[in-house]
Amino acid sequence: DLLARQFAQASLRDSLGSFVALHDAAHTLLRWVELISRARGCIDLICYTFDLDVVVSALEEARRRHVAIRLLINKASAATKSTKQLLDRLESVEGHVKPAQRKLQIRVAEGTPLREQYTRAGTNSPIQSKKGIVHAKFLRVDSSLLVGSCNWTTSSQCNREAVVETGLTADGLAR
């Protein structure tokens, strides 16, 4: 824990921002909800998947306050029943927002074909016909940034996770 904290602090010594905290899974979830709940300008979220109702509720409330939300999620995950229901719930808020104030963007993405990597590595795999995934875990709310290993799922709360929180400067926000 000390080594991770020292690494995070050292990596932020330029003008992009400052180290705030290193969170485990439980504290990460609390911090996500806290930041989303007090968002004023914008929320950017990147994830593989999510099933945390408390996060979707906080995002719904943020949209009702006219906070812009940009969400990028893994393509295959977005198509699962549980995730699709939560995304639909979030999108339904837009129906109650005046057209000029609609600022919700939900995008799906996937990685590149795996075959090329396996060919370069000189190996075969049963999954080589598939594509890579969006595996990043990222939340930016106004000038706060959280990046780490914690998924946006109930099961992640049982994992040993690490998420670094930083406060971004104007230069950090511009990048």
Side-chain angles (χ1 to χ4, degrees), residues 79-96:
T80 64
K81 184 178 178 181
S82 60
T83 299
K84 183 155 180 29
Q85 286 175 339
L86 293 175
L87 292 173
D88 289 347
R89 224 176 87 194
L90 187 55
E91 286 180 322
S92 73
V93 175
E94 287 297 274
H96 304 287

Side-chain angles (χ1 to χ4, degrees), residues 47-50 73-81 83-84 87 134:
C47 62
Y48 171 72
T49 189
F50 66 89
I73 188 168
N74 186 64
K75 183 178 180 180
S77 302
T80 64
K81 184 178 178 181
T83 299
K84 183 155 180 29
L87 292 173
V134 172

Side-chain angles (χ1 to χ4, degrees), residues 84-141:
K84 183 155 180 29
Q85 286 175 339
L86 293 175
L87 292 173
D88 289 347
R89 224 176 87 194
L90 187 55
E91 286 180 322
S92 73
V93 175
E94 287 297 274
H96 304 287
V97 176
K98 294 177 185 175
Q101 296 174 331
R102 291 185 181 162
K103 295 182 180 173
L104 172 66
Q105 297 176 23
I106 298 175
R107 304 234 168 121
V108 297
E110 59 189 352
T112 58
L114 298 176
R115 184 174 309 282
E116 296 169 26
Q117 285 297 113
Y118 280 100
T119 300
R120 269 188 242 133
T123 61
N124 289 315
S125 169
I127 65 166
Q128 70 185 22
S129 63
K130 298 180 185 271
K131 289 189 175 185
I133 60 174
V134 172
H135 200 247
K137 293 92 171 177
F138 169 105
L139 174 68
R140 184 177 70 87
V141 177

Side-chain angles (χ1 to χ4, degrees), residues 23 27-39 42-48 55 58-59 62 67-72 136-152 163-168 173:
H23 301 293
H27 289 104
T28 296
L29 177 57
L30 292 172
R31 194 66 177 134
W32 285 338
V33 172
E34 178 185 347
L35 288 171
I36 292 168
S37 295
R38 68 175 204 210
C42 67
I43 297 170
D44 293 324
L45 191 157
I46 301 174
C47 62
Y48 171 72
V55 171
L59 289 168
V67 174
I69 299 173
R70 297 184 301 182
L71 182 132
L72 177 68
K137 293 92 171 177
F138 169 105
L139 174 68
R140 184 177 70 87
V141 177
D142 301 326
S143 63
S144 296
L145 175 67
L146 285 87
V147 179
S149 63
C150 196
N151 284 305
W152 295 77
V163 172
V164 174
E165 180 178 352
T166 63
L168 297 172
L173 287 167

